[in-house]
Amino acid sequence: MRRPFPFDRRQRAHGAERMVRTKLSTCARKVRYPTEPAALAIALAASVPLRPYRCDRCGQYHLTSRTRGKRTLPPQARQA
């Protein structure tokens, strides 16, 4: 007997409640920052919206431009 999923097939098809693991090749080609404040400082200085995230592969921080459905930096932080 199969164990039931905590969500239905329709949600799973659309990626709801799914944590995506970072690809090893993606981690290897990105710059690594040892702390979140270090990554955040670079993100705020960039000309495009970036946000830091903790990598589940290396345990350090990377930057991403993907913000869909994610917490973004406050507008006043970007202007400073």
Side-chain angles (χ1 to χ4, degrees), residues 40-70:
L40 189 57
I42 300 298
L44 292 173
S47 60
V48 295
L50 295 174
R51 68 174 188 85
Y53 69 94
R54 187 172 184 110
C55 179
D56 58 356
R57 296 287 183 158
C58 68
Q60 294 187 349
Y61 290 86
H62 299 297
L63 297 176
T64 184
S65 61
R66 292 188 179 199
T67 57
R68 186 176 181 181
K70 302 290 183 188

Side-chain angles (χ1 to χ4, degrees), residues 20-35:
V20 178
R21 190 156 190 204
T22 305
K23 289 183 181 180
L24 193 55
S25 61
T26 301
C27 174
R29 78 173 193 275
K30 287 193 169 188
V31 176
R32 294 176 182 166
Y33 302 96
T35 64

